[in-house]
Amino acid sequence: MKKQSGITLVALVVTIVVLLILAGITIIYVFGENGIFKLAQDAKDQTEQAKKDEQEYFNNVNDTINKYLDGNGGGSNPTDKVDVSTITDITTKNTSAEDSLGNPITIPEGFKVVPDGQDGVEYTYIGDKKPTVQDGIVIEDNEGNQFVWIPVGNIKNKDNTTTNIQLARYTFDITINSDTHEISGGTGAIKQTIIDGSSLTDVWVELNGGGYEYLEETSNSTTYENAKAKNIEGFKTKAKSNGGYYLARYEASKGEGEKVKSKSAAIWNNITQPEAATKAREMYNSNSFESDLVNSYAWDTAIVFIQTYSGDNDYSKEVGPTFSTILKNTGTTTDKRCNIYDMASNTAEWTTETSNLAGHPCVGRGGSYGGSGGCTAGRGRNATSINNGYVSFRSLLYLIK
């Protein structure tokens, strides 16, 4: 018998079904949502985008180099900078800005700019109520503490001139009556400028004799036992590179939990110089800026700034007879210059400046309602234990980023 071999109908059907399944799977892998064609198209798109990003990066680098060569400062075209008058909300980082004249200012993280007319703030230099650095731009944190920008370096003025304010320690032309210790003359003009941190003498030393001097200590020595600046060299470097620093608008007031405040409230006096330094440093805990007790560079440079732009060109010898005869709350006297209160009046203020008079290393600056002969540029020497009602303090902020 002959035996014929072949394929059955069932086997044929099964074969066709299997082929269809394989074809479907192939189509899905090739043309599906995550198929080979789609993956290839995505890879092509990503390659083209990477080329665009790379080209944009190189274009930006080229623009930055060209702007440096053109003198525009690191790719920051002046027309692209933030207008300081628009920073009306609390910042989330240090924000570089400039006023309408092109003067730089940095608003620290956690602050905003106080507008004209609020809390007695006045911006009058240009006449349009927009803040310029000549006015003393006021910033405020979310607790109402206020500070004023003290510009350092070249300042652009509205008449197209430029004024240079050096960050330095100064003495001023002041004459004191040897009998009454009252201010009796002098022009208030700068007499001596100390930039390198060496010691200086002033009219109080000349009047009282003894060869005593004042210095801003830079070492870790405890010879004088008073509180020194947290980092005086760091302050000087950052104030110069940032074009300024911030001085508390008011003499210190006391907040909840004995936290120092800079706002219109009761004066925080009856505090020693070391305690004042500790409180000023505890005011903020930030990686963007430092807080400290005012140092002699910050105090003296602020006087120069005020005398340059407030219209009171002898503020250094100001005694303020109408507002320093009684103790008042912060911000309630008429002693306001460039939006800063009470450097000439109310209480003298502890600083990190040091006197080399044995037993009296702590230096208070400014006029006091209870002192004789005190004025804005005045210096008083006291022991580390002194904590009377005639002396308060003021905080300082400077940017570190």
Side-chain angles (χ1 to χ4, degrees), residues 25-299:
I25 293 172
T26 301
I27 290 170
I28 290 172
Y29 272 102
V30 174
F31 299 103
E33 182 177 352
N34 295 311
I36 293 174
F37 284 177
K38 180 63 168 57
L39 293 175
Q41 185 62 47
D42 289 346
K44 177 185 176 184
D45 293 341
Q46 290 173 8
T47 300
E48 291 178 351
Q49 184 61 47
K51 289 181 179 179
K52 291 179 181 178
D53 292 343
E54 184 179 43
Q55 186 60 49
E56 182 178 355
Y57 170 78
F58 283 117
N59 289 341
N60 289 337
V61 170
N62 189 55
D63 288 344
T64 298
I65 293 172
N66 288 335
K67 287 174 181 177
Y68 263 118
L69 294 176
D70 292 338
N72 287 334
S76 296
N77 191 317
T79 59
D80 296 333
K81 288 187 178 179
V82 177
D83 181 348
V84 69
S85 65
T86 66
I87 306 179
T88 55
D89 295 321
I90 296 292
T91 59
T92 57
K93 62 180 180 179
N94 287 358
T95 303
S96 296
E98 64 179 18
D99 65 14
S100 58
L101 297 173
N103 293 303
I105 176 175
T106 301
I107 309 304
E109 174 187 359
F111 285 83
K112 64 180 180 180
V113 175
V114 180
D116 183 84
Q118 181 177 316
D119 296 335
V121 172
E122 296 179 293
Y123 300 129
T124 59
Y125 182 72
I126 295 295
D128 57 4
K129 297 187 177 182
K130 287 188 176 181
T132 57
V133 300
Q134 289 86 350
D135 293 305
I137 296 175
V138 181
I139 61 169
E140 180 180 76
D141 66 13
N142 57 12
E143 295 182 349
N145 298 304
Q146 295 182 349
F147 292 80
V148 177
W149 179 251
I150 310 297
V152 170
N154 290 324
I155 303 169
K156 299 175 184 177
N157 300 314
K158 60 185 177 182
D159 59 0
N160 294 320
T161 62
T162 300
T163 299
N164 181 270
I165 293 181
Q166 289 183 295
L167 182 73
R169 302 171 68 217
Y170 295 88
T171 60
F172 300 87
D173 180 21
I174 300 167
T175 304
I176 302 176
N177 186 298
S178 59
D179 295 323
T180 65
H181 284 204
E182 296 295 331
I183 305 297
S184 61
T187 65
I190 297 170
K191 184 176 180 181
Q192 182 186 23
T193 304
I194 298 291
I195 300 175
D196 63 2
S198 59
S199 63
L200 56 76
T201 60
D202 70 358
V203 290
W204 271 262
V205 173
E206 295 167 3
L207 177 68
N208 295 306
Y212 306 125
E213 295 181 327
Y214 297 92
L215 63 152
E216 192 74 53
E217 287 192 85
T218 58
S219 69
N220 293 322
S221 169
T222 58
T223 301
Y224 298 103
E225 299 182 352
N226 60 310
K228 297 181 287 291
K230 183 188 293 186
N231 183 355
I232 190 62
E233 294 301 327
F235 164 76
K236 289 160 61 178
T237 298
K238 292 299 184 181
K240 291 175 183 177
S241 64
N242 289 308
Y245 59 93
Y246 285 99
L247 187 67
R249 190 182 186 204
Y250 306 105
E251 293 168 318
S253 54
K254 187 184 299 187
E256 184 177 351
E258 293 201 337
K259 182 178 180 181
V260 63
K261 298 291 184 181
S262 174
K263 59 201 309 184
S264 184
I267 294 281
W268 189 346
N269 51 6
N270 294 300
I271 185 170
T272 67
Q273 189 263 0
E275 290 170 341
T278 298
K279 292 300 180 181
R281 291 164 189 171
E282 292 175 348
M283 189 173 185
Y284 293 101
N285 180 18
S286 172
N287 293 322
S288 301
F289 58 86
E290 294 275 14
S291 63
D292 198 2
L293 186 64
V294 173
N295 61 61
S296 57
Y297 285 87
W299 186 272

